Amino acid sequence: MQTDAVVSGSLRNRLVLILIGGAAVLAIFLFFAVRSYAVQVAQRGQDNILLASVTSMLDAAAFRDGVAEVDIPYAAFSMLNTPADDRVFYAIYQDDTFLSGYNDLGLLGENQGGQPSFQTRDYRDTSVREVTASRTLIGADQRTEIQIALAQTQDALADTLDQISRNAALLGLGFFALAVALSIWATQATISPLSRLTNSVTRRGPQDLSPFTKPVPQEMAPLVTSLNSLMGRLDQSLSQSEDFIAEAAHRVRTPLATVRSYAEATLLRVNKEENREAMRSMVKAIDESSRAAGQLLDHAMITFRADHLEREELDLVDLVRDLILRLTPVADMKDLTLDLRGEDTVTYAGDPILLQNALRNMIDNAMKYSPADGAIEISVRSEPVVAVTVSDQGPGFPLDEIETLTARFTRGRNADNTIGSGLGLTIAQDVATAHGGEITLRNREEGGACVILSL
Amino acid sequence: MRYLIALILGFLASTSFAQEWEDQRLFNDGAGGDALRVLSSTDTNLFAPLIEAYVAENPDTAVEYLVTGTADIDGLFREAPERFDVVISSAMDLQLKLANDGFALALDDVAHPEWAEWRNSLFAFTTEPAAIVINTAAFEGLPVPSSRQDLIGLLRDRPDLFAGRVGTYDIRRSGLGYLFATQDSRASETYWRLMEVMGGLDVRLYCCSGDMIDDLTDGTIAVAYNVLGSYAEARVESGERFKILDLSDFETTMMRTALVSKETTQVAEAASFLRAVIAYQSDDASNASPLPTLAQDGDRGAIPLDPATMTFLDSLKRKKFLEEWEDALIQN
């Protein structure tokens, strides 16, 4: 079965990318917004100074002896001093006739209504900010208009803008860095409930189909609800089939016992050798079926108990000894000896019924595959982990099947002429898993199989 | 032969710009190539040590030193900026306007205090006060004035002694005289009263500090107003019989400035010359210069290098100022 999901993109990456992309766009926007605002403010600052300067020059214009005069105040140029030593140009006109200053510095046009006008333009190979303003002088019998153009280079302004651009860039970068950190954090925080859910699903035991009860964010509630309902149905159908199997096995076993006793009775009465042979085969088949039914029952019981494990303190050696005692008659029939080795007492907290079942299946298996007159060694130890080892002198496991033998209804290739359902090792495995341990299969060097139940 | 013709043509060309220099000297004429042409208002004897120090360091460069008045410098240089490599003048306003009008080359690698340079193209290298100098013999038995007010009183009281014996710059001809006069007029109204008194005493007008000091030395005049302090000091030290007044009211201080012509063909040499001048004038320890050094603390009393200095160069304003000055001083 395919367990790997088909992956298309990543929610986390998508979220981080969207957030970082948004932050980058915002940071760039912030940079340009701050810069353009600063440009406006700085330009307005220069304009204000230029206007103040040109106004003070215009204020110094007056008629003297009937002649218009402009006595430029010292402060007019003084206030134009900048840290970058900007150059200053001016031209004074009277009714559009050049009076003084730089005669190539023209007046700006569209200066109607007496409002000063500003313009950035090229003058003498450099960019200057020019202001033009005018004032009408009214004399005794004349009126004249004094117009002044004043221009200043923009080096200090450029320096200021450089400074501001640097600061704005730093601001944008800082904002971006903060936004990246925040978006990573936010993504992490958003994704983490999903990871937690994934973790808790992954950590579950194979039999655990109970619903998720931990609180999850609202957006994940439908997912968890569906998951819970899916698992509920799965659980129900599983237990139904287990019930069905148990019920079926039970129903089959009782009539089988009746059939067997009839068959045995019949065997005693039949004299013809070929009929006796047929009857013996019949009894053997009935035994096999009955045993399989028993194991199915065991398995169903183990599946149930494993879900509701009841641990109690017990002595494993005692448990094994007890088992050996009960199995000795069967072993004697095959001329097998059961040897108990290892420590005298090994205490362990576990479900005695399950452990007994698992060990019985293991010993049972060993007895089935052991040649006659063989010895089966059973040893119990507590170090390094609590483990029970059952070894026989049989043919051992086929090496290429060793990994798959514990699956349900799987039987080894060499099991053809032995009775079995393929459930024995599965039961042992389920019990080990329920106790948090495992089953290890291997072949002994001197021949024979060895099954270790470590807990 | 061709070289000879070129040489002759070159000579003719240079003489066709025939110019009456106050002084003209070629330093290190042994060096080949074009000489660095320095246009200056500073007397040769005051500036020679600097040039000699420079050519000692740069034996491959010849320096032609051309001296004329500050107003002439401005006119000559504006007319043909390509003919001169370095311009040195005491008329800060004219120099600043040259820089403002784009005649000066910006030198970015000259380390100089912010207050002593403008746009990295105009560099101040001396700090020199305008001085009032009196002939001690003429003031025999008279109190030494300690302010302009004192001087006005003294001149007014003794027209017999001072008539025809006071001198000052003819600010119509001298750029530096105009700078001093305009700055004085900004500082105090006393200036105009002094000018009126001097006008009443039939003032003598001079083109240059040197001439004024010469006349003061031989007793032709008893008071010289707004003489360059450095020139006077150079003579006082040589034991001449006059005294620089130490006035309590105000002092006009100018800074001698230098710039490299934007159209110079010898940028590297001109720049290194300017740097050498600045270094020479900034180094107090080994200074053997007859010129005062640049006040290292940024003397706040000095006329600042900022656009306001150009204010009085406005033709309307200049015309008005000169009219007032003439009204006050020339009362025939």
Side-chain angles (χ1 to χ4, degrees):
Chain A
M1 193 173 80
Q2 184 183 13
T3 54
D4 289 338
V6 182
V7 174
S8 148
S10 147
L11 269 187
R12 179 201 304 267
N13 290 354
R14 208 177 299 169
L15 205 54
V16 165
L17 273 181
I18 289 171
L19 288 175
I20 288 180
V25 170
L26 276 182
I28 291 169
F29 175 76
L30 186 71
F31 170 76
F32 283 108
V34 167
R35 198 173 170 281
S36 89
Y37 182 64
V39 168
Q40 279 178 30
V41 170
Q43 189 59 73
R44 202 175 305 149
Q46 189 186 25
D47 286 356
N48 285 343
I49 294 174
L50 280 170
L51 185 61
S53 176
V54 84
T55 308
S56 73
M57 285 160 80
L58 283 171
D59 283 347
F63 277 120
R64 208 170 70 155
D65 304 332
V67 179
E69 249 184 19
V70 182
D71 187 9
I72 302 175
Y74 207 71
F77 288 160
S78 197
M79 69 175 83
L80 295 177
N81 194 21
T82 63
D85 295 336
D86 274 304
R87 296 158 69 183
V88 174
F89 309 101
Y90 70 98
I92 303 173
Y93 291 83
Q94 178 180 6
D95 297 327
D96 296 320
T97 312
F98 176 77
L99 280 187
S100 163
Y102 292 77
N103 57 13
D104 54 345
L105 180 74
L107 293 165
L108 296 175
E110 81 275 3
N111 173 32
Q112 305 306 323
Q115 284 301 309
S117 57
F118 295 91
Q119 193 187 323
T120 303
R121 68 184 189 97
D122 280 338
Y123 175 71
R124 296 198 179 199
D125 303 330
T126 174
S127 163
V128 297
R129 184 71 174 173
E130 183 177 342
V131 58
T132 295
S134 63
R135 182 182 162 208
T136 306
L137 292 181
I138 301 171
D141 51 355
Q142 57 181 328
R143 59 188 289 144
T144 186
E145 193 182 24
I146 300 293
Q147 301 136 313
I148 298 181
L150 181 65
Q152 187 179 28
T153 53
Q154 300 193 292
D155 298 349
L157 191 75
D159 287 351
T160 310
L161 289 186
D162 279 356
Q163 185 86 32
I164 289 171
S165 294
R166 263 199 299 279
N167 288 344
L170 279 180
L171 185 71
L173 274 181
F175 172 79
F176 180 67
L178 207 63
V180 166
L182 272 178
S183 56
I184 288 174
W185 175 77
T187 307
Q188 202 68 41
T190 311
I191 295 290
S192 67
L194 211 53
S195 322
R196 275 205 297 276
L197 181 67
T198 309
N199 256 341
S200 71
V201 172
T202 315
R203 269 209 314 268
R204 287 200 159 199
Q207 314 293 338
D208 187 356
L209 291 174
S210 63
F212 293 96
T213 50
K214 278 188 186 158
V216 291
Q218 194 184 352
E219 289 77 7
M220 279 166 62
L223 174 67
V224 172
T225 309
S226 320
L227 205 57
N228 280 345
S229 116
L230 175 68
M231 285 197 302
R233 275 175 287 151
L234 198 61
D235 195 23
Q236 204 184 356
S237 93
L238 266 183
S239 60
Q240 265 174 5
S241 57
E242 299 274 358
D243 285 353
F244 175 75
I245 291 166
E247 185 64 23
H250 183 69
R251 291 279 176 102
V252 166
R253 209 157 60 150
T254 318
L256 273 180
T258 317
V259 171
R260 192 183 190 275
S261 58
Y262 279 121
E264 283 208 324
T266 311
L267 180 63
L268 290 176
R269 275 184 275 131
V270 170
N271 291 324
K272 229 177 189 175
E273 189 50 36
E274 57 193 80
N275 291 349
R276 285 179 71 92
E277 188 56 39
M279 285 314 283
R280 260 190 230 105
S281 298
M282 204 167 132
V283 170
K284 196 180 171 194
I286 292 166
D287 277 350
E288 203 167 315
S289 303
S290 154
R291 185 187 156 85
Q295 276 189 327
L296 278 174
L297 262 177
D298 283 354
H299 186 254
M301 184 265 292
I302 282 159
T303 309
F304 174 77
R305 286 192 78 100
D307 284 349
H308 314 89
L309 194 64
E310 283 166 21
R311 286 175 185 269
E312 62 185 64
E313 285 285 319
L314 54 90
D315 184 357
L316 270 182
V317 183
D318 260 357
L319 194 136
V320 172
R321 197 175 287 133
D322 201 37
L323 255 179
I324 288 175
L325 221 60
R326 288 207 336 239
L327 287 171
T328 304
V330 189
D332 286 346
M333 273 163 54
K334 289 187 81 178
D335 292 334
L336 292 172
T337 47
L338 299 175
D339 290 345
L340 175 62
R341 302 193 177 177
E343 296 168 33
D344 285 342
T345 46
V346 174
T347 39
Y348 177 74
D351 187 321
I353 297 171
L354 289 189
L355 288 173
Q356 208 173 29
N357 223 306
L359 289 171
R360 199 183 60 230
N361 271 294
M362 284 161 67
I363 297 170
D364 224 34
N365 261 349
M367 290 198 304
K368 270 193 287 179
Y369 290 99
S370 269
D373 284 338
I376 293 168
E377 276 177 25
I378 303 149
S379 77
V380 186
R381 62 184 156 89
S382 57
E383 294 295 326
V385 287
V386 174
V388 181
T389 309
V390 177
S391 340
D392 60 42
Q393 292 164 337
F397 300 109
L399 283 173
D400 53 338
E401 291 180 336
I402 219 160
E403 300 293 329
T404 56
L405 279 177
T406 51
R408 252 186 238 191
F409 306 115
T410 306
R411 304 189 67 197
R413 261 196 318 266
N414 52 3
D416 293 343
N417 43 13
T418 40
I419 303 168
S421 60
L423 274 175
L425 282 177
T426 312
I427 289 168
Q429 166 98 334
D430 285 351
V431 171
T433 311
H435 284 85
E438 60 178 359
I439 285 286
T440 314
L441 305 183
R442 67 163 191 254
N443 288 326
R444 298 203 298 172
E445 278 172 28
E446 59 267 36
C450 172
V451 181
I452 305 161
L453 167 72
S454 26
L455 298 165
Chain B
M1 188 63 189
R2 216 183 296 163
Y3 292 112
L4 200 64
I5 291 171
L7 211 66
I8 293 168
L9 282 177
F11 179 74
L12 284 177
S14 70
T15 50
S16 66
F17 285 109
Q19 167 72 32
E20 199 68 20
W21 300 108
E22 280 177 28
D23 197 5
Q24 178 177 18
R25 199 191 295 179
L26 187 60
F27 292 83
N28 194 23
D29 49 3
D34 291 335
L36 207 57
R37 285 169 69 87
V38 179
L39 186 59
S40 171
S41 67
T42 309
D43 284 357
T44 314
N45 60 335
L46 290 177
F47 208 79
L50 278 73
I51 303 178
E52 276 154 7
Y54 174 74
V55 294
E57 296 266 322
N58 301 273
D60 296 336
T61 315
V63 177
E64 188 176 16
Y65 190 69
L66 307 159
V67 182
T68 190
T70 46
D72 277 350
I73 287 176
D74 190 60
L76 281 172
F77 185 62
R78 277 176 187 275
E79 213 164 89
E82 71 285 352
R83 286 181 58 210
F84 306 98
D85 302 304
V86 178
V87 181
I88 293 167
S89 170
S90 47
M92 292 168 72
D93 48 354
L94 293 172
Q95 292 280 87
L96 193 89
K97 196 157 184 349
L98 283 176
N100 187 64
D101 294 359
F103 286 97
L105 185 71
L107 306 170
D108 290 331
D109 53 346
V110 180
H112 212 44
E114 162 65 23
W115 53 267
E117 57 87 21
W118 199 71
R119 289 188 70 79
N120 286 334
S121 50
L122 185 63
F123 301 91
F125 62 94
T126 66
T127 306
E128 307 178 41
I132 301 170
V133 187
I134 57 168
N135 183 306
T136 39
F139 272 70
E140 195 89 53
L142 291 174
V144 174
S146 64
S147 67
R148 283 175 178 75
Q149 202 56 54
D150 280 1
L151 185 63
I152 290 169
L154 203 61
L155 294 178
R156 206 177 261 158
D157 290 349
R158 301 294 299 271
D160 55 313
L161 209 57
F162 294 113
R165 295 190 69 200
V166 288
T168 190
Y169 271 116
D170 183 349
I171 66 170
R172 294 164 298 188
R173 285 191 288 157
S174 164
L176 177 61
Y178 184 72
L179 176 67
F180 280 157
T182 52
Q183 293 294 329
D184 276 4
S185 76
R186 282 188 60 227
S188 167
E189 275 300 313
T190 321
Y191 173 75
W192 290 115
R193 273 188 281 138
L194 184 60
M195 286 303 111
E196 269 162 24
V197 170
M198 284 166 81
L201 290 171
D202 195 11
V203 69
R204 283 168 182 266
L205 298 175
Y206 294 86
C207 74
C208 347
S209 278
D211 292 0
M212 228 184 303
I213 291 167
D214 285 345
D215 276 6
L216 190 74
T217 312
D218 64 20
T220 312
I221 55 173
V223 180
Y225 183 74
N226 273 357
V227 187
L228 254 184
S230 53
Y231 285 45
E233 253 163 46
R235 304 279 273 272
V236 168
E237 279 159 15
S238 58
E240 308 253 10
R241 303 194 54 200
F242 52 73
K243 179 178 168 60
I244 298 173
L245 290 188
D246 186 15
L247 296 189
S248 59
D249 44 4
F250 65 88
E251 190 177 58
T252 305
T253 306
M254 70 79 176
M255 296 185 286
R256 214 173 278 269
T257 55
L259 60 85
V260 171
S261 167
K262 185 135 194 172
E263 299 190 25
T264 176
T265 49
Q266 309 181 63
V267 177
E269 289 83 354
S272 84
F273 180 77
L274 192 137
R275 267 196 291 275
V277 167
I278 290 172
Y280 197 86
Q281 287 296 114
S282 303
D283 187 4
D284 273 327
S286 67
N287 196 328
S289 170
L291 287 171
T293 54
L294 185 67
Q296 289 304 309
D297 54 349
D299 187 348
R300 295 293 151 209
I303 301 164
L305 280 173
D306 75 40
T309 311
M310 303 189 299
T311 310
F312 280 97
L313 295 180
D314 175 64
S315 55
L316 292 177
K317 201 165 174 79
R318 180 178 163 86
K319 189 163 146 264
K320 183 164 177 262
F321 189 84
L322 288 180
E323 273 169 14
E324 283 175 23
W325 182 83
E326 281 173 346
D327 285 350
L329 219 55
I330 302 167
Q331 308 172 349
N332 293 320

